[in-house]
Amino acid sequence: MTDTTKKPVEKLDALILGAGFAGLAMLHKMQNKLGMKARVLDKAGGVGGTWYWNRYPGARSDTESWVYCYSFDPALYREWKWTERYPRQAEILAYLEHVADRFDLRRNIRLNALVTSAHWNERSQRWDIETSDGDRFAARYFITGLGLLSAANKPLFPGEETFRGRVLHTGNWPTTPVDFTGKRVGVIGNGSTGVQVVVETSKVAGHLVLFQRTPQYSVPARNHPVDPAFLDGIADNLEAYFDRVRRSATVFAFEEARQGAMEVSADEREAVYEKAWQDGGGFNFMFGTFSDIATNRESNATAADFIRRKIAAVISDPEKREIMTPTDLYARRPLCDNHFYEAIDRENVSVVDVRKAPIVGFTENGIRTADGEIALDYVIFATGFDAVTGNFVRIDIRGRDGLKLRDHWAQGPRAFLGLSAAGFPNMFSLYGPPGPFTNQPPAIEWQAEWVSEAIRYMEEHGLSTMEATREAEQGWLDECIRIEAMTLFGKLDWWVSGANIPGKAKAVSFYMGGFGAYMKHAEACAENGYSGYALAGAQAAAAE
Ligand code: NAP
């Protein structure tokens, strides 16, 4: 019997989750290139993904603007003029809004639409997808562009409800600006986000307290205005330029180093680090100086020592300096900043080492640590994300035979090329795990093109399903594990392994072999008729 209380089902060729860099690129491919009936759903009130939510003070990309964008359309590249080396959140958001308008994407984007479930329907060979408002869709292809860093991680501290001030999370920032002028502001966390918040907020706050657990290695960003002629020069040679960028490991614009740090004399090493320090950029410092900083402990120690000496030269107060000086490996995502240590050095900034004086909880007036109460008007959580899998497991995604993605990934994410989990036919995850660890927009648009070509192949060959085999999925995971073991990234507890979330299984979540090598894997798969995938004919769908 038909359930008349339910909304009618909208049939689609493709349903795409998320209106960030991934979702917009994918919608463009489906709608404008393949001419398919596709729709993007996003729980946000606007397009932009990460850049919609992360509006905190100081938010900007730490990748150069001229490669933090799409390259698929030369006219788009030529007409959009980035103003700074590192684009501000508002500028990136404006860019994505412009893309949505320019390619007429908005007519197929539905906002404020929270997808709660996506179930593979064996009979119809479609994905049955529902939102929290009861909207229903049946789509042949289910494509996620969920972002690896968007499910906010907000640790629970007792007594928050008694706090008379305001609590904010950087990943869920209000759309109306917050004025911290003259206020007492606490910031918990000093990752890429916390560093930006501290720099910007310390300029106006009456007093800012950074609650820090693990000190970071951060290098100067050296932001500067961009000459439009420089952007035109790239536009003149767009395809070749981006092909070179993508064939690198990190998908940045700088030249990656080929020589190991221990292959040169101490003086030469110092000169290379000093130059990178002056040039600015976190990835540049880690991957543009020497080839083995992220793989060789001895080399890593030389970079860490250099940064420690720079920190010591900036922070004048001995107690602050000691708290801010990292002692472990330089093997988290490399940070860069617009004068972070100078901000810490300010008189209106103090630092609490929460490893020595843990946060006990909130009080009416502020935060109590083991050392006493600190009065605050605002507490900003810059505590990051339930990264990588967080957004996926919040949705009830079920593949063949009711297989739940959250069960399939209970011990960590597994998916061939980071795109396709076995048992989840016709589902593709752009920048999904375990996938490349790179500057994202150029990598994402390349994957969107790859997926659209796979879909074109299916359509042209009258196929109904395309599904990664268990062997391919396992083989890919083994390769990711093998490569990660050669790096130092897995040696520390941070979000790449899930270690930042209490109780979450530690896992290998990335392919650390570089995007150039990743492309070769994905290209070989396509050239060999999508080897690693089981492709099935259209009988079942036709019988519907
Ligand atoms: P994050 O790197 O995970 O940093 C979270 C911070 O919160 C860490 O300092 C962490 O300390 C601290 N923290 C977490 N739980 C805590 C607790 N219970 N008590 C005290 N401190 C706690 O998160 P993020 O800074 O938001 O950055 C995540 C990623 O987003 C980055 O790695 C980057 O990929 C991306 N991002 C990029 C940019 C950019 O392009 N500039 C900006 C922002 C974010 P521990 O280190 O001790 O765990």
Side-chain angles (χ1 to χ4, degrees), residues 64-67 77-78 81-82 84-85 224-237 241 244 253:
E64 275 85 2
S65 52
W66 51 92
V67 288
Y77 197 91
R78 198 172 282 285
K81 293 287 184 255
W82 296 106
E84 293 177 272
R85 176 176 179 181
H224 57 70
V226 179
D227 180 355
F230 169 75
L231 300 176
D232 286 340
I234 297 176
D236 289 343
N237 228 338
Y241 183 85
R244 183 182 67 70

Short mmCIF file of all heavy atoms in Angstrom, two decimals, residues 64-67 77-78 81-82 84-85 224-237 241 244 253:
data_model
loop_
_atom_site.label_atom_id
_atom_site.label_comp_id
_atom_site.label_asym_id
_atom_site.label_seq_id
_atom_site.Cartn_x
_atom_site.Cartn_y
_atom_site.Cartn_z
N GLU A 64 48.29 29.04 -1.81
CA GLU A 64 48.28 30.19 -2.69
C GLU A 64 46.97 30.23 -3.48
O GLU A 64 46.52 29.22 -4.04
CB GLU A 64 49.45 30.15 -3.67
CG GLU A 64 50.73 30.72 -3.10
CD GLU A 64 51.53 29.73 -2.29
OE1 GLU A 64 51.10 28.57 -2.22
OE2 GLU A 64 52.58 30.11 -1.73
N SER A 65 46.40 31.44 -3.55
CA SER A 65 45.08 31.60 -4.18
C SER A 65 45.06 31.08 -5.61
O SER A 65 44.07 30.50 -6.06
CB SER A 65 44.67 33.07 -4.15
OG SER A 65 45.70 33.88 -4.70
N TRP A 66 46.17 31.28 -6.33
CA TRP A 66 46.16 30.93 -7.76
C TRP A 66 46.14 29.43 -8.01
O TRP A 66 45.95 29.00 -9.14
CB TRP A 66 47.31 31.60 -8.51
CG TRP A 66 48.69 31.43 -7.91
CD1 TRP A 66 49.58 30.46 -8.21
CD2 TRP A 66 49.31 32.27 -6.94
NE1 TRP A 66 50.73 30.63 -7.48
CE2 TRP A 66 50.59 31.73 -6.70
CE3 TRP A 66 48.92 33.42 -6.24
CZ2 TRP A 66 51.49 32.31 -5.79
CZ3 TRP A 66 49.82 33.98 -5.34
CH2 TRP A 66 51.08 33.43 -5.12
N VAL A 67 46.33 28.63 -6.95
CA VAL A 67 46.09 27.19 -7.11
C VAL A 67 45.01 26.69 -6.14
O VAL A 67 44.76 25.50 -6.06
CB VAL A 67 47.39 26.35 -6.93
CG1 VAL A 67 48.31 26.54 -8.11
CG2 VAL A 67 48.08 26.67 -5.62
N TYR A 77 39.01 31.31 -14.96
CA TYR A 77 40.31 31.59 -14.35
C TYR A 77 40.75 33.03 -14.67
O TYR A 77 41.25 33.74 -13.82
CB TYR A 77 41.38 30.59 -14.83
CG TYR A 77 42.59 30.60 -13.91
CD1 TYR A 77 42.67 29.73 -12.83
CD2 TYR A 77 43.60 31.53 -14.09
CE1 TYR A 77 43.74 29.77 -11.95
CE2 TYR A 77 44.68 31.58 -13.21
CZ TYR A 77 44.75 30.70 -12.16
OH TYR A 77 45.82 30.75 -11.28
N ARG A 78 40.51 33.44 -15.89
CA ARG A 78 40.97 34.75 -16.33
C ARG A 78 40.16 35.88 -15.68
O ARG A 78 40.69 36.92 -15.34
CB ARG A 78 40.87 34.85 -17.86
CG ARG A 78 41.70 35.95 -18.46
CD ARG A 78 41.71 35.87 -19.97
NE ARG A 78 42.61 34.85 -20.47
CZ ARG A 78 43.93 34.96 -20.50
NH1 ARG A 78 44.52 36.04 -20.04
NH2 ARG A 78 44.68 33.99 -20.99
N LYS A 81 39.89 37.60 -10.25
CA LYS A 81 41.19 38.13 -9.84
C LYS A 81 41.35 38.01 -8.32
O LYS A 81 40.76 38.79 -7.56
CB LYS A 81 41.35 39.59 -10.28
CG LYS A 81 41.42 39.75 -11.81
CD LYS A 81 42.75 39.26 -12.38
CE LYS A 81 42.90 39.47 -13.86
NZ LYS A 81 42.75 38.26 -14.68
N TRP A 82 42.16 37.04 -7.90
CA TRP A 82 42.47 36.93 -6.48
C TRP A 82 43.26 38.15 -6.05
O TRP A 82 44.09 38.65 -6.83
CB TRP A 82 43.28 35.66 -6.22
CG TRP A 82 42.53 34.40 -6.54
CD1 TRP A 82 42.72 33.59 -7.61
CD2 TRP A 82 41.48 33.82 -5.76
NE1 TRP A 82 41.84 32.53 -7.56
CE2 TRP A 82 41.07 32.65 -6.43
CE3 TRP A 82 40.83 34.16 -4.57
CZ2 TRP A 82 40.05 31.83 -5.95
CZ3 TRP A 82 39.82 33.34 -4.10
CH2 TRP A 82 39.43 32.19 -4.78
N GLU A 84 44.94 38.41 -2.87
CA GLU A 84 46.06 38.16 -1.96
C GLU A 84 46.66 36.79 -2.22
O GLU A 84 46.00 35.91 -2.77
CB GLU A 84 45.57 38.18 -0.50
CG GLU A 84 45.11 39.51 -0.01
CD GLU A 84 44.58 39.40 1.41
OE1 GLU A 84 43.38 39.11 1.58
OE2 GLU A 84 45.36 39.59 2.34
N ARG A 85 47.90 36.62 -1.77
CA ARG A 85 48.55 35.30 -1.90
C ARG A 85 47.71 34.21 -1.24
O ARG A 85 47.49 33.15 -1.82
CB ARG A 85 49.94 35.38 -1.25
CG ARG A 85 50.67 34.04 -1.23
CD ARG A 85 52.08 34.19 -0.66
NE ARG A 85 52.78 32.91 -0.63
CZ ARG A 85 54.00 32.73 -0.18
NH1 ARG A 85 54.68 33.75 0.30
NH2 ARG A 85 54.56 31.53 -0.19
N HIS A 224 50.86 38.50 0.73
CA HIS A 224 51.09 39.75 0.00
C HIS A 224 50.02 39.88 -1.09
O HIS A 224 49.40 38.89 -1.47
CB HIS A 224 52.50 39.78 -0.59
CG HIS A 224 52.80 38.63 -1.51
ND1 HIS A 224 52.23 38.47 -2.74
CD2 HIS A 224 53.62 37.56 -1.35
CE1 HIS A 224 52.69 37.35 -3.31
NE2 HIS A 224 53.52 36.78 -2.48
N PRO A 225 49.84 41.10 -1.60
CA PRO A 225 48.86 41.28 -2.68
C PRO A 225 49.32 40.53 -3.93
O PRO A 225 50.52 40.27 -4.12
CB PRO A 225 48.87 42.78 -2.95
CG PRO A 225 49.58 43.40 -1.80
CD PRO A 225 50.48 42.38 -1.21
N VAL A 226 48.35 40.17 -4.78
CA VAL A 226 48.69 39.47 -6.02
C VAL A 226 48.58 40.43 -7.19
O VAL A 226 47.60 41.16 -7.32
CB VAL A 226 47.71 38.29 -6.26
CG1 VAL A 226 48.04 37.58 -7.56
CG2 VAL A 226 47.77 37.31 -5.11
N ASP A 227 49.58 40.38 -8.04
CA ASP A 227 49.58 41.21 -9.25
C ASP A 227 48.68 40.53 -10.30
O ASP A 227 48.93 39.38 -10.68
CB ASP A 227 51.04 41.30 -9.76
CG ASP A 227 51.15 42.15 -11.01
OD1 ASP A 227 50.11 42.58 -11.55
OD2 ASP A 227 52.29 42.36 -11.45
N PRO A 228 47.65 41.23 -10.78
CA PRO A 228 46.75 40.61 -11.76
C PRO A 228 47.50 40.08 -13.00
O PRO A 228 47.09 39.08 -13.58
CB PRO A 228 45.80 41.74 -12.16
CG PRO A 228 45.90 42.74 -11.07
CD PRO A 228 47.24 42.59 -10.43
N ALA A 229 48.61 40.75 -13.35
CA ALA A 229 49.38 40.30 -14.52
C ALA A 229 49.96 38.91 -14.28
O ALA A 229 50.10 38.10 -15.22
CB ALA A 229 50.50 41.29 -14.82
N PHE A 230 50.29 38.62 -13.03
CA PHE A 230 50.82 37.30 -12.68
C PHE A 230 49.74 36.23 -12.93
O PHE A 230 50.00 35.16 -13.49
CB PHE A 230 51.25 37.32 -11.21
CG PHE A 230 51.57 35.97 -10.65
CD1 PHE A 230 52.76 35.32 -10.98
CD2 PHE A 230 50.69 35.33 -9.77
CE1 PHE A 230 53.07 34.06 -10.47
CE2 PHE A 230 50.99 34.07 -9.25
CZ PHE A 230 52.18 33.44 -9.60
N LEU A 231 48.50 36.56 -12.55
CA LEU A 231 47.39 35.62 -12.77
C LEU A 231 47.12 35.44 -14.26
O LEU A 231 46.83 34.33 -14.73
CB LEU A 231 46.12 36.10 -12.05
CG LEU A 231 46.23 36.24 -10.53
CD1 LEU A 231 44.94 36.82 -9.97
CD2 LEU A 231 46.51 34.89 -9.88
N ASP A 232 47.23 36.53 -15.00
CA ASP A 232 47.04 36.45 -16.46
C ASP A 232 48.09 35.52 -17.08
O ASP A 232 47.80 34.78 -18.02
CB ASP A 232 47.13 37.84 -17.11
CG ASP A 232 45.88 38.67 -16.83
OD1 ASP A 232 44.85 38.05 -16.50
OD2 ASP A 232 45.96 39.90 -16.92
N GLY A 233 49.30 35.60 -16.55
CA GLY A 233 50.38 34.76 -17.07
C GLY A 233 50.04 33.27 -16.89
O GLY A 233 50.28 32.46 -17.79
N ILE A 234 49.45 32.93 -15.75
CA ILE A 234 49.04 31.53 -15.54
C ILE A 234 47.90 31.19 -16.49
O ILE A 234 47.89 30.12 -17.12
CB ILE A 234 48.60 31.31 -14.07
CG1 ILE A 234 49.79 31.55 -13.13
CG2 ILE A 234 48.04 29.89 -13.89
CD1 ILE A 234 49.43 31.45 -11.65
N ALA A 235 46.96 32.13 -16.62
CA ALA A 235 45.80 31.87 -17.49
C ALA A 235 46.23 31.61 -18.93
O ALA A 235 45.61 30.80 -19.63
CB ALA A 235 44.83 33.06 -17.43
N ASP A 236 47.31 32.25 -19.35
CA ASP A 236 47.79 32.06 -20.73
C ASP A 236 48.24 30.62 -20.98
O ASP A 236 48.30 30.18 -22.12
CB ASP A 236 49.00 32.99 -21.00
CG ASP A 236 48.55 34.44 -21.09
OD1 ASP A 236 47.34 34.66 -21.28
OD2 ASP A 236 49.41 35.34 -20.96
N ASN A 237 48.57 29.96 -19.91
CA ASN A 237 49.15 28.61 -20.01
C ASN A 237 48.46 27.65 -19.06
O ASN A 237 49.11 26.81 -18.44
CB ASN A 237 50.61 28.74 -19.57
CG ASN A 237 51.51 28.06 -20.54
OD1 ASN A 237 51.05 27.18 -21.28
ND2 ASN A 237 52.78 28.42 -20.53
N TYR A 241 50.09 24.58 -16.80
CA TYR A 241 50.43 25.00 -15.44
C TYR A 241 49.79 24.06 -14.41
O TYR A 241 50.46 23.54 -13.52
CB TYR A 241 49.97 26.45 -15.20
CG TYR A 241 50.34 27.00 -13.85
CD1 TYR A 241 51.58 27.57 -13.63
CD2 TYR A 241 49.45 26.91 -12.78
CE1 TYR A 241 51.93 28.06 -12.37
CE2 TYR A 241 49.80 27.39 -11.52
CZ TYR A 241 51.03 27.96 -11.33
OH TYR A 241 51.38 28.44 -10.09
N ARG A 244 51.19 20.52 -14.32
CA ARG A 244 52.44 20.44 -13.55
C ARG A 244 52.12 20.44 -12.04
O ARG A 244 52.67 19.64 -11.27
CB ARG A 244 53.34 21.63 -13.89
CG ARG A 244 54.68 21.59 -13.18
CD ARG A 244 55.55 22.80 -13.51
NE ARG A 244 55.04 24.07 -13.01
CZ ARG A 244 55.01 24.42 -11.72
NH1 ARG A 244 55.44 23.60 -10.80
NH2 ARG A 244 54.53 25.60 -11.36
N ALA A 253 52.01 25.23 -5.65
CA ALA A 253 52.66 25.86 -6.80
C ALA A 253 54.18 25.82 -6.72
O ALA A 253 54.86 26.08 -7.70
CB ALA A 253 52.20 27.31 -6.90
#
